[in-house]
Amino acid sequence: PALPLTGSVTHRVYRARSSFLDLSEEQVLRRYRLDKAAIAGLCRELGADLESLTGRSHALPVAVKVTSALTFLASGSFQTATRDSTGISQSAMSNCLAQFLEALQRRAARYIAFPAPGRTAPTAPGPGGGAGAFPGVLGLLGSMHVALRAPSENEGAFRNARNFHSMNMQVVCDAAGAITNVVAKFPGSCPNAAVLENSALARLLEGARPEGAWLLGDRSYPLKTWLMTPILFPCGAAEERYNALHHQALAALRQTRALLKRRFRCLDAAGGCLQYAPQKVCQIFLACCVLHNIALRRRMPLEPPEGPEPDPEPELPLQAPHVQISS
């Protein structure tokens, strides 16, 4: 006769996972910052990259990987909100995020595209003139610092003028708030002007820019034939009005940066810096920009239903002011 088993057999326990389809539209929007249709679309588009190749019976579904990554980007919380909402371990969550960021990065050009030469970005008149006061505007140029933990190598290069470690992300948007160009690879100590000078965008505009088309940028950038900046020392009513209209036109850029932080709390330094290497932080920022454009196209509510306001993007001290003299 067979001997009885003396030991106990340990069975692996798999936690129940909640599906975004089980939630209301309001709950989905609050948790993931996208609606159900947009999430389903992402699952279809990224499915080939996210489907498990192991053949394991308990491999994570594509929808779980997508919603896990979205929850982290929306909440900024890796350990609590993300794990609790999807029922997966932290190590599995880390893999989900990495796969999601890689897949979205490969498709970024589908969602972030600079206007072709000869075409200008949408403009809309703001109060007292706004963007509509500047015909031929290709986009609004600015920067956004995303805080990260101090890198182990070349730490000083990442310390910005406000004395925290960051990546200096260059962003161009149109008057509707759609992001049309992103440069995400320079450390926080790199001045805005240097980021621009070393970007493909500058090379494009130096060459193929049509006559009478330009960007608008703040005073951290140099004046160029294709870049209009404020007059540092305005003389007379006309130049004062130019500066006022220029400031109003850049309001869409300021609103876009603030909305990125409201929609994706992982970018808001008030909740702590991102605990990742610079390359991963750049991937996270690019993913947030892609998702921002998706939300904008689908006319998602501009503000999440709950949560405190993020800190506004501060204007960093100028390291080498670019002076645009009168005329």
Side-chain angles (χ1 to χ4, degrees):
L3 295 175
L5 295 176
T6 57
S8 60
V9 179
T10 302
H11 295 280
R12 187 172 181 180
V13 177
Y14 293 91
R15 295 177 58 188
R17 303 184 189 116
S18 61
S19 169
F20 71 95
L21 296 173
D22 298 331
L23 306 174
S24 68
E25 281 288 1
E26 182 180 354
Q27 290 172 318
V28 168
L29 184 61
R30 182 183 298 118
R31 181 175 292 179
Y32 306 118
R33 304 299 193 252
L34 296 176
D35 61 13
K36 291 183 180 181
I39 295 173
L42 275 177
C43 292
R44 289 191 298 270
E45 184 171 0
L46 306 182
D49 290 9
L50 300 183
E51 286 176 349
S52 176
L53 301 178
T54 64
R56 291 161 45 206
S57 60
H58 288 282
L60 292 177
V62 170
V64 171
K65 294 182 178 181
V66 170
T67 53
S68 297
L70 290 176
T71 309
F72 166 73
L73 297 176
S75 67
S77 173
F78 184 89
Q79 293 84 1
T80 55
T82 306
R83 184 186 62 220
D84 293 345
S85 65
T86 55
I88 63 177
S89 66
Q90 291 188 31
S91 60
M93 172 58 221
S94 181
N95 292 332
C96 289
L97 181 62
Q99 293 175 26
F100 177 84
L101 295 177
E102 291 282 354
L104 208 56
Q105 182 178 14
R106 283 191 282 270
R107 295 163 175 80
R110 300 181 187 179
Y111 298 95
I112 300 176
F114 193 71
R119 294 181 58 193
T120 56
T123 58
F134 292 88
V137 172
L138 293 168
L140 310 174
L141 170 69
S143 70
M144 183 171 170
H145 281 259
V146 178
L148 78 165
R149 70 182 180 192
S152 57
E153 297 182 7
N154 203 14
E155 175 269 340
F158 295 87
R159 189 179 294 276
N160 63 33
R162 294 185 68 236
N163 203 34
F164 67 87
H165 298 91
S166 69
M167 297 299 297
N168 187 1
M169 312 296 193
Q170 179 176 289
V171 177
V172 177
C173 74
D174 61 23
I179 295 173
T180 59
N181 184 263
V182 174
V183 178
K185 61 181 179 180
F186 289 93
S189 67
C190 194
N192 291 352
V195 175
L196 176 63
E197 290 292 339
N198 290 280
S199 68
L201 178 64
R203 293 189 293 273
L204 171 68
L205 295 177
E206 291 285 359
R209 178 188 65 89
E211 193 67 26
W214 39 65
L215 297 176
L216 299 185
D218 63 29
R219 64 192 181 98
S220 65
Y221 296 100
L223 177 66
K224 293 180 177 291
T225 56
W226 45 267
L227 177 58
M228 298 177 68
T229 59
I231 299 173
L232 195 57
F233 302 110
C235 299
E239 293 183 356
E240 293 282 2
R241 176 166 171 75
Y242 164 84
N243 275 2
L245 291 175
H246 189 283
H247 180 78
Q248 291 173 5
L250 285 181
L253 173 66
R254 293 190 293 272
Q255 292 167 1
T256 298
R257 292 186 305 200
L259 180 55
L260 274 171
K261 290 184 178 182
R262 285 200 301 267
R263 186 169 269 143
F264 305 108
R265 293 289 180 172
C266 65
L267 302 179
D268 187 6
C273 65
L274 287 169
Q275 300 296 309
Y276 293 104
Q279 181 180 2
K280 189 71 158 288
V281 172
C282 293
Q283 285 185 316
I284 288 173
F285 183 76
L286 182 61
C288 290
C289 291
V290 169
L291 296 171
H292 164 85
N293 280 358
I294 291 175
L296 203 64
R297 290 178 188 180
R298 295 188 60 80
R299 300 187 179 184
M300 302 284 129
L302 294 183
E303 296 185 38
E306 63 180 21
E309 288 291 311
D311 293 334
E313 183 72 11
E315 187 170 316
L316 295 176
L318 294 182
Q319 296 165 325
H322 293 279
V323 178
Q324 177 183 345
I325 61 173
S326 175
S327 78

